[in-house]
Amino acid sequence: MDDERNEPMNSGRPKTTKRWTTVILGAATVLLTSVQCGTANDEAGSAQPAGTVPPPRSVASAPPSSSDPSPSPSPRAERAPVPGCEAVIAGMSPRQRLAQLVVVGVNAGDPQAAVKLVRDQQIGGIFLGGNETALLRNRALDEVQRAAKVPVSVAIDEEGGRVQRIDALDGDMPSARKMASTLTPAQVRAKAAERGRQMLARGVTVDYAPDADITDQPDRDIVGDRSFGANPEVARKYILAFAQGLRDAGVQPVLKHFPGHGHASGDSHKGLVRTPPLASLRKVDLVPYRDIGEYGEVGVMVGHLDVPDLTGGTPSTLSAAAYRLLRKDYAFDGPVITDDLGAMKAITSQYPLQTAVLKALQAGADQALWSSGGNVGTVLSTLEQALASGDLPAARVDEALTRVLTAKRACG
């Protein structure tokens, strides 16, 4: 996501996992699960990259209700990924399966609206954009989780600098560029772990960070100081450290914006932007995704980027070639989430939301994100029709769903 702190929110439709261990009774006897909203995406892996992320604490072991939770709760011990999602998936209706593949923006100032959305639609994830904090205080997200039959991932943009959400609650965090120029990778890992513990204490389970774009743009450009630097090898060390710190805290990191926004022409909030050719991306912008297994369990967010010799004028979020590049050439089998499909003109100028969501899932996304909220029923009905007709293959849905559920530790 590129939801910067100074970008206004639509009050009706805000812009864009606490993993919890629970026993799900009544929905299906097969749903006896230990849950973690981890790798997902969030921005989404049945077979995970090397390494594991410690699961967050369950609702029962969460810190006491407080508007200012302890900034440093200790995460639980690591646990190996739980196997197999077939039984869980078999207990879901087609609409329930599809609902797990969407992440919808909610108004962080209206906790009851978020609870109602999750209770009514049983979506897989919510995204908290903008500057409101009601959902992040007084354990408000616990009620959201209680409304979910399968634990819901809770995502925010918490990069530091211009893009952060809990600074009013837990203090400011420097931008990526500032951290890279003043801290060692080890110090960045420690800072990210501290921030991750603060997020987890408030109920957040996914961070759409770190920004893995490589650039020397001025600070206030679309990527600018959100990048750890222009040297891809140096930046990769900091990106890795930030991601590992979040994982240390039990929060799922999501690297963004694949295949690289740092040298793209323009701002995808305003229209489709074009990157350099793929050969150039491989040498610079794609370096952070090299040996991606070293990051452990992470998600990847795909950006709305046209790679001229790869996507041919189609945004990479809707391009099967872009997902093949990530899966095949960079050997990533974790969860992949789209950038915002509902509030960025790179998409909205060409496609209605339900069409964009369908195209993204068809192309290879595991989760489709729209920060603007609303339209959930329309989107799910469109997906149901496509699944029934075969336009959205059942195997594609089950593949994506397996990654999403495994990331949330919802399979047993």
Side-chain angles (χ1 to χ4, degrees), residues 126-149:
I126 60 173
F127 170 76
L128 282 59
N131 304 327
E132 297 287 346
T133 60
L135 264 172
L136 294 168
R137 291 184 279 112
N138 301 315
R139 307 305 305 173
L141 283 164
D142 288 356
E143 188 176 354
V144 175
Q145 293 291 2
R146 285 191 290 269
K149 295 177 181 178

Side-chain angles (χ1 to χ4, degrees), residues 247-261:
R247 291 180 59 249
D248 292 342
V251 170
Q252 178 207 342
V254 177
L255 312 184
K256 62 186 184 185
H257 309 82
F258 184 89
H261 204 308

Side-chain angles (χ1 to χ4, degrees), residues 157-390:
D157 282 320
E158 190 70 20
E159 303 172 16
R162 288 181 281 159
V163 183
Q164 52 185 318
R165 296 288 169 258
I166 64 171
D167 50 315
L169 302 173
D170 294 314
D172 186 68
M173 186 167 67
S175 69
R177 181 169 285 172
K178 181 69 175 293
M179 285 190 277
S181 66
T182 60
L183 302 174
T184 66
Q187 290 171 324
V188 167
R189 179 171 182 169
K191 184 171 287 292
E194 178 184 14
R195 199 60 153 195
R197 289 189 289 270
Q198 292 167 341
M199 285 188 277
L200 188 63
R202 296 187 179 279
V204 174
T205 59
V206 178
D207 186 8
Y208 293 153
D211 191 312
D213 297 319
I214 306 300
T215 195
D216 59 358
Q217 293 174 351
D219 282 357
R220 297 298 298 181
D221 276 13
I222 182 57
V223 176
D225 62 355
R226 300 167 62 194
S227 167
F228 283 98
N231 182 316
E233 299 293 343
V234 173
R236 185 184 184 279
K237 294 178 181 178
Y238 282 95
I239 296 163
L240 176 61
F242 195 100
Q244 288 175 328
L246 292 177
R247 291 180 59 249
D248 292 342
V251 170
Q252 178 207 342
V254 177
L255 312 184
K256 62 186 184 185
H257 309 82
F258 184 89
H261 204 308
H263 294 93
S265 60
D267 177 355
S268 52
H269 290 88
K270 300 176 181 178
L272 185 62
V273 298
R274 176 168 292 189
T275 73
L278 182 57
S280 175
L281 294 183
R282 289 187 190 277
K283 294 176 182 177
V284 180
D285 300 79
L286 284 164
V287 168
Y289 301 92
R290 188 186 62 209
D291 299 323
I292 199 166
E294 293 181 7
Y295 290 87
E297 296 186 24
V298 299
V300 170
M301 177 180 284
V302 175
H304 305 312
L305 306 167
D306 175 26
V307 184
D309 50 349
L310 179 71
T311 66
T314 299
S316 46
T317 40
L318 311 183
S319 168
Y323 293 97
R324 284 196 298 270
L325 177 71
L326 178 59
R327 298 294 189 197
K328 301 297 183 183
D329 291 31
Y330 290 87
F332 183 65
D333 197 26
V336 180
I337 189 167
T338 69
D339 205 342
D340 191 345
L341 297 171
M344 299 175 72
K345 290 183 179 178
I347 299 295
T348 60
S349 65
Q350 301 182 66
Y351 306 102
L353 176 63
Q354 63 268 30
T355 301
V357 171
L358 174 58
K359 285 183 173 292
L361 295 177
Q362 288 170 326
D366 300 313
Q367 289 181 306
L369 164 70
W370 66 97
S371 70
S372 51
N375 300 300
V376 178
T378 300
V379 169
L380 293 182
S381 293
T382 298
L383 296 180
E384 273 192 294
Q385 293 169 8
L387 179 61
S389 69

Side-chain angles (χ1 to χ4, degrees), residues 89 92-101 358 361-362 365-366 383-384 386-388 391-405:
I89 293 172
M92 293 180 170
S93 69
R95 193 177 184 91
Q96 288 171 333
R97 297 181 190 190
L98 294 164
Q100 286 295 308
L101 308 186
L358 174 58
L361 295 177
Q362 288 170 326
D366 300 313
L383 296 180
E384 273 192 294
L387 179 61
D391 286 345
L392 180 59
R396 171 83 269 274
V397 171
D398 288 354
E399 172 191 55
L401 182 55
T402 297
R403 291 194 180 103
V404 170
L405 295 177

